[in-house]
Amino acid sequence: MTAGTVLFDLFGVLARQQSADGRQRLIRAAGVPAADFRDAYWALRPPYDRGEIDGPGYWRQLADRLGARFDERRIAALIAADVESWSAVDATMIALVEELARRGRRIGLLSNIPEELARHFERHHAWLYHFAVRAFSCRLGHAKPEPAAYHWCQRALAEPPHRILFVDDRRENVRAAEATGMRGHLFTTPDRLRAQLDRWDTAAG
């Protein structure tokens, strides 16, 4: 029996977390105190990630929360800076994705990501099309660690949960996946993930 599907997280696994320089550019573009900006940015992010509001709506809400006013030009600049701050990828992990695809391993992607950023990755990263399923929270209406996000992937992959290995850098997301019956791997390094995949292949062989 062959090993099943590897379901990857995006940010913190295949792509870098938001860069410090990018955060500072966002704060400067917003023109508000850094601590206030960070609190509002994350507090309002879940509905944006789930696609309940679009980019302009998110930034208008953030402005209201901060007592600021962002005109259309400022909002466009903030959306562009936000996308740029999340745009770096891990070359070693992308090489692993391409290697798995060449070997015929079925892979999927589950990411908490707003629509503007999802479109950026689709335009600029051809390796995304190796994934049998690309589950973006903004299009699912569900975000990790909500069980519905994992159940959606199980249905889309048409795999029983125990034949899906979910790889994420956040322990709460891995535990939530395991609670739905998936296997889980808390990502720390590419080498440790390779060792996990080797063990999985051996067990299935």
Side-chain angles (χ1 to χ4, degrees):
M1 183 178 182
T2 59
T5 299
V6 184
L7 181 62
F8 287 95
D9 170 41
L10 182 55
F11 299 106
V13 178
L14 306 179
R16 304 293 187 184
Q17 294 288 6
Q18 187 183 46
S19 69
D21 287 346
R23 283 194 298 273
Q24 290 306 311
R25 285 194 292 271
L26 270 174
I27 292 166
R28 288 195 297 271
V32 297
D36 294 344
F37 178 88
R38 284 193 296 269
D39 289 346
Y41 181 91
W42 289 113
L44 298 173
R45 201 75 177 183
Y48 187 25
D49 281 343
R50 288 195 296 268
E52 296 168 7
I53 54 174
D54 62 7
Y58 169 74
W59 290 103
R60 283 193 292 268
Q61 286 188 9
L62 193 145
D64 289 344
R65 186 175 182 122
L66 295 174
R69 183 180 180 278
F70 300 155
D71 61 18
E72 290 184 6
R73 181 178 297 181
R74 177 77 63 91
I75 287 172
L78 286 164
I79 290 172
D82 193 35
V83 168
E84 177 63 25
S85 74
W86 291 98
S87 62
V89 300
D90 184 328
T92 300
M93 286 301 298
I94 302 311
L96 175 58
V97 163
E98 292 176 335
E99 176 188 329
L100 292 174
R102 285 195 304 271
R103 287 164 45 191
R105 170 60 66 80
R106 195 161 182 245
I107 54 177
L109 184 69
L110 172 59
S111 177
N112 288 358
I113 187 172
E115 181 64 31
E116 287 83 357
L117 190 51
R119 289 199 301 264
H120 171 85
F121 269 82
E122 288 173 330
R123 284 194 302 267
H124 293 94
H125 296 291
W127 50 265
L128 274 181
Y129 296 93
H130 290 307
F131 294 101
V133 165
R134 295 185 300 277
F136 294 147
S137 60
C138 58
R139 299 172 187 172
L140 307 185
H142 303 289
K144 300 172 294 181
E146 297 166 11
Y150 306 99
H151 290 310
W152 190 96
C153 291
Q154 291 163 18
R155 292 192 298 271
L157 291 166
E159 285 265 35
H162 71 276
R163 286 183 48 78
I164 302 171
L165 177 69
F166 178 64
V167 180
D168 197 292
D169 65 318
R170 294 185 180 273
R171 191 175 301 277
E172 64 269 26
N173 292 340
V174 173
R175 287 175 173 166
E178 291 172 338
T180 71
M182 291 182 182
R183 297 173 182 267
H185 175 79
L186 180 64
F187 180 79
T188 53
T189 69
D191 286 345
R192 288 181 179 176
L193 174 58
R194 282 182 177 276
Q196 173 68 59
L197 293 174
D198 288 345
R199 288 193 296 271
W200 200 27
D201 289 344
T202 300

